[in-house]
Structure formats: structure tokens, C-alpha cells
Amino acid sequence: MNFNPIKRLRLKAAYEDAKAFADVVRDEDFLVELFEWSERGTIFIVDDAEAGFSRFVTDTNGLGFDKALKVVNRDHKDMFLWHIDGLIYKKDSKCDCALLTDESIRFIEFKSNAANKTREAIIENYDKAKNQLKLTFDDVNERCRKVGIDLKTSARPRAYAVFNRTVPSLNAYQKKLAAQFLLETDGVSLEFKNETII
């Protein structure tokens, strides 16, 4: 297991004010609360309401693919799932998690359990997902910058809003939000997908 995806972003230094990172002494300590690791060819990320955080699972076991982000890891690279929401930030203030590899960071917000019964509720959840992803990106980007890391050149950030596939996609609205996100983050893409390829 190579911890370089975490160490190259200098996250321990960037989060020196966060208790969870302060407890990290050895590389393996990153995995106690902050991260999960996998090198599987295909794995899923789910927002586990029972556990209270997002996690890797090898099978959705009845959760359904609708409520998961499928990660296709063709070269079996080291991947780290960073538990963000409720661990280092106040619950529901930032996105749920981020997926780190040696080349990239993907910020992920799940809205697959949200009430999406009316057009107004769907639009509200699209907006909320975009805002949580932007707030997280902005904060992580600024923290990394303060410790000498340019997140955009060293980690090629992307953002994913994961919705249950039964939710009407409102493609025009998604495109509008993706364009706003691209402008507001100076080039970071926002995708409304349930799959990513590493």
C-alpha cells in the first residue's frame, strides 16, 4: 500500500487544526478514521446512513447500483476514500467524501437518499450538491495552497454529484450547474454520474 496519494497533497499539514489529522503519526494512522484503501479493479462507494459516512463496498448488496458510485480501477492503482462529511467538517456542510489516486482527486456528494419527489425538491438537491462540492473544493484547495500544493496541477480535481437514477435528470439544469461550477472553480468539472474510471 502506497500512501503517496495522501502525502503528496500534504493533507496532514493542511489540516493541522483538525483533531483527526493531529492523531496521525504513522502512515497507517491515516486509515484509522480518515481514509479507506482499495486496489480492486471494480469497487463501489456508497453513502452508508447506518455507518454515518461513505465507504467502499465490493457489492451493493441490495442497496442497488442507483445509490452507489461505481469506480472502475483498470490498473489496480492504490485508491483512498477520504471520509469528509461529519468527520473534519460539520455534518452536511461539505461534500460526503473524496477519492484520491496518485493522479487525481474526485470530490463526491451523494443525493441518492434525498427526497426527490417534486421538481422543486430535485432542483433544490441539485443546487445543494453543487454548493457542497464547491465549498469543499474551495476549502481543500485553499488549505493545500497554504502548504505549497497547487491542487489543480498536482491532483486534477473533479466533482461528482450522485443521484438515484430514478430521479429525473433535468439535463438542461445539470448543464447549467456544471457550467457555473466550471467558472466558479476555474476549470474543475462537475459531473452527474454514477460511475467513474480511474
Side-chain angles (χ1 to χ4, degrees), residues 54-89:
S54 299
R55 61 186 182 97
F56 282 138
V57 293
T58 55
D59 189 318
T60 59
N61 288 335
L63 289 171
F65 296 111
D66 288 355
K67 297 188 175 191
L69 178 68
K70 180 180 180 182
V71 180
V72 179
N73 183 7
R74 292 183 176 146
D75 297 324
H76 295 269
K77 299 174 185 174
D78 285 316
M79 299 182 296
F80 292 89
L81 181 62
W82 180 11
H83 306 297
I84 293 176
D85 188 33
L87 181 62
I88 56 173
Y89 296 101

Side-chain angles (χ1 to χ4, degrees), residues 5-16:
I6 299 169
K7 294 194 293 188
R8 73 187 169 83
L9 297 180
R10 301 192 58 210
L11 292 178
K12 180 167 168 51
Y15 284 87
E16 65 182 0

